[in-house]
């Protein structure tokens, strides 16, 4: 069953690559809202740093429609993401992109949805908390697979097979990490359950995880205050808000921006007793090729953030599915 879905996703990505080959793509825009946009960020980040064949950028879907980039044209690939398939802003962005002649594709969990009917090509991912799918079929790994498919197509390289194999191993790595960090996650939940504010500080690829942690997990799911802070920006104003009562989560990655995160940790160790650090260097990445360590470890850190929030939701008696406004009120 899962193998069939993996083959389907791979075939959908390959179908998109054939469409890309037929167009002289000069720019790739990643467009969505909220967590759906954050999960596309590894695509933008990687393309910006691995190829000069295209210009890559990301946009909030509502802003994309209200103030579209001037280079939105027939030489543009627009990659969208709507888990429900019906996010109004994202569907509108897809419609605008199509009107401007762009090649459009979208990730979604909803076959037959509005987004699927709007774009030229669709890529399914899977999200069912009652019957979880392996990590390879969830959004972050699928974005990674799409990104390397694009790189192979644009640069003439042949990394996708190795990347696909790596994403198949991701579930085992996540399970091992969750087992390793379960006690720490439960300690975090017990110690910080009453905190009203939790900052997250990240840099580089980790920034997408910091956004998900802040907006989707701490704020949306736990109803606590939070703000994502870029590690490089922290010392340019935000640090003044920190004292011994401030709770801060810092993610430390394996990439070139790790030094920014390390600098923040060294400072915060002297300024607050409420510092939580998740360090990718503590993860076992030995099964992955070195060029994937950074991005694979970022995906594992994202899973650990979810573990920490799940444990806090248990001790708070506050299910992560709780909502006051989203899907409850019209706005």
């Amino acid at each position: 069953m899962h193998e069939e879905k993996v083959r389907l996703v791979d075939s959908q990505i390959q179908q998109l690559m054939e469409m890309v080959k037929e167009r002289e793509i000069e720019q790739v825009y990643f467009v969505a809202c909220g967590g759906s946009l954050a999960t596309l960020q590894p695509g933008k980040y990687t393309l910006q740093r691995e190829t000069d064949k295209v210009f890559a950028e990301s946009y909030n879907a509502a802003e994309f429609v209200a103030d579209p980039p001037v280079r939105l044209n027939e030489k543009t690939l627009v990659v969208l993401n709507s888990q429900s398939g019906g996010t109004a802003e994202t569907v509108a962005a897809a419609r605008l992109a199509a009107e401007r002649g762009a090649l459009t594709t979208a990730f979604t969990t909803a076959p037959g949805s509005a987004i699927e009917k709007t774009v030229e090509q669709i890529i399914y991912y899977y999200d069912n908390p009652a019957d979880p799918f392996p990590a390879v079929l969830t959004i972050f790994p699928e974005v990674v697979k799409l990104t390397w498919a694009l790189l192979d197509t644009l640069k003439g390289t042949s990394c996708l097979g190795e990347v696909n194999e790596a994403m198949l191993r991701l579930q085992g790595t996540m399970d091992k990490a969750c087992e390793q960090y379960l006690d720490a996650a439960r300690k975090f939940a017990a110690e910080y359950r009453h905190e009203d504010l939790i900052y997250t500080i990240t840099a580089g690829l980790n920034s997408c995880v910091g956004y998900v942690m802040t907006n989707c997990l701490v704020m949306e799911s736990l109803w606590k205050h939070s703000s994502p802070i870029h590690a490089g920006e922290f010392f340019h104003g935000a640090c003044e808000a920190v004292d011994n009562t401030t709770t801060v989560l810092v993610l430390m990655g394996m990439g070139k921006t790790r030094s920014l995160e390390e600098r923040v940790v060294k400072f915060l160790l002297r300024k607050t007793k409420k510092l939580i650090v998740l360090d990718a260097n503590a993860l076992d990445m030995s099964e992955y090729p070195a060029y994937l360590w950074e991005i694979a470890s970022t995906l594992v850190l994202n899973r650990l953030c979810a573990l920490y929030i799940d444990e806090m939701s248990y001790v708070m008696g506050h299910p992560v599915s709780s909502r006051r406004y989203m899907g409850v009120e019209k706005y």
Side-chain angles (χ1 to χ4, degrees):
M1 181 67 171
H2 292 158
E3 292 78 6
E4 181 180 345
K5 287 182 168 62
V6 171
R7 287 194 295 271
L8 173 62
V9 170
D10 289 347
S11 69
Q12 290 169 333
I13 291 175
Q14 187 56 47
Q15 179 187 26
L16 178 61
M17 292 308 103
E18 295 303 318
M19 299 169 76
V20 167
K21 290 175 184 177
E22 295 174 358
R23 311 277 285 264
E24 294 181 6
I25 297 299
E26 295 181 351
Q27 48 271 335
V28 180
Y29 295 151
F30 295 89
V31 182
C33 300
S36 293
L37 177 57
T39 54
L40 293 179
Q41 295 291 2
K44 179 204 76 169
Y45 189 91
T46 304
L47 289 180
Q48 284 180 337
R49 287 154 178 82
E50 296 294 333
T51 182
D52 60 0
K53 302 295 184 181
V54 293
F55 171 81
E57 191 51 270
S58 61
Y59 298 91
N60 168 272
E63 183 171 322
F64 185 82
V65 173
D67 190 14
V70 70
R71 289 195 287 185
L72 177 59
N73 55 36
E74 69 280 355
K75 294 185 178 181
T76 306
L77 168 64
V78 178
V79 181
L80 305 109
N81 182 17
S82 172
Q83 179 176 339
S84 68
T87 309
E89 301 96 322
T90 307
V91 173
R95 188 174 299 114
L96 173 65
E99 291 171 355
R100 297 287 181 90
L103 172 60
T104 55
T105 188
F107 290 96
T108 189
T109 67
S113 60
I115 193 71
E116 180 170 356
K117 294 175 182 177
T118 306
V119 299
E120 294 180 57
Q121 194 269 348
I122 203 73
I123 303 171
Y124 294 124
Y125 64 102
Y126 298 86
D127 182 33
N128 183 357
D131 182 21
F133 286 87
V136 66
L137 289 169
T138 58
I139 183 61
F140 263 133
E142 292 196 12
V143 170
V144 172
K145 293 168 73 167
L146 171 63
T147 301
W148 257 271
L150 281 168
L151 287 172
D152 278 359
T153 301
L154 295 167
K155 298 172 63 177
T157 51
S158 55
C159 295
L160 183 59
E162 192 171 45
V163 171
N164 286 346
E165 288 297 319
M167 294 302 101
L168 287 171
R169 293 193 290 271
L170 194 60
Q171 185 64 58
T173 306
M174 288 180 172
D175 290 345
K176 182 178 178 180
C178 285
E179 181 179 355
Q180 176 184 347
Y181 278 86
L182 181 58
D183 288 344
R186 288 174 173 171
K187 181 180 179 181
F188 164 82
E191 289 187 6
Y192 300 107
R193 59 180 294 185
H194 297 299
E195 294 294 320
D196 293 325
L197 172 65
I198 302 173
Y199 289 115
T200 60
I201 302 181
T202 58
L205 269 171
N206 283 339
S207 294
C208 62
V209 178
Y211 179 95
V212 171
M213 181 64 168
T214 288
N215 287 52
C216 303
L217 299 179
V218 179
M219 298 180 74
E220 179 181 334
S221 297
L222 293 185
W223 302 354
K224 293 179 179 290
H225 296 288
S226 188
S227 178
I229 302 172
H230 188 277
E233 288 292 312
F234 176 71
F235 293 104
H236 298 274
C239 60
E240 290 295 336
V242 174
D243 60 24
N244 204 38
T245 68
T246 309
T247 305
V248 185
L249 170 72
V250 181
L251 302 181
M252 297 176 66
M254 302 180 76
K256 294 179 180 178
T257 60
R258 178 182 173 88
S259 60
L260 283 68
E261 296 158 341
E262 288 178 332
R263 182 186 178 201
V264 169
V265 170
K266 289 177 182 178
F267 176 84
L268 290 175
L269 284 170
R270 296 186 286 112
K271 301 301 178 183
T272 180
K273 295 180 180 179
K274 298 180 178 181
L275 173 63
I276 307 98
V277 178
L278 292 178
D279 189 346
N281 278 354
L283 303 174
D284 182 6
M285 292 287 111
S286 60
E287 294 186 345
Y288 299 84
Y291 71 91
L292 288 179
W293 286 354
E294 179 182 11
I295 197 162
S297 64
T298 293
L299 272 54
V300 178
L301 290 178
N302 181 68
R303 178 64 187 93
L304 290 177
C305 285
L307 172 68
Y308 274 51
I309 295 305
D310 283 344
E311 291 300 323
M312 183 171 281
S313 76
Y314 302 151
V315 298
M316 289 175 59
H318 179 101
V320 294
S321 59
S322 301
R323 298 293 183 272
R324 290 182 286 196
Y325 313 119
M326 299 175 70
V328 178
E329 294 186 7
K330 291 185 178 181
Y331 47 81

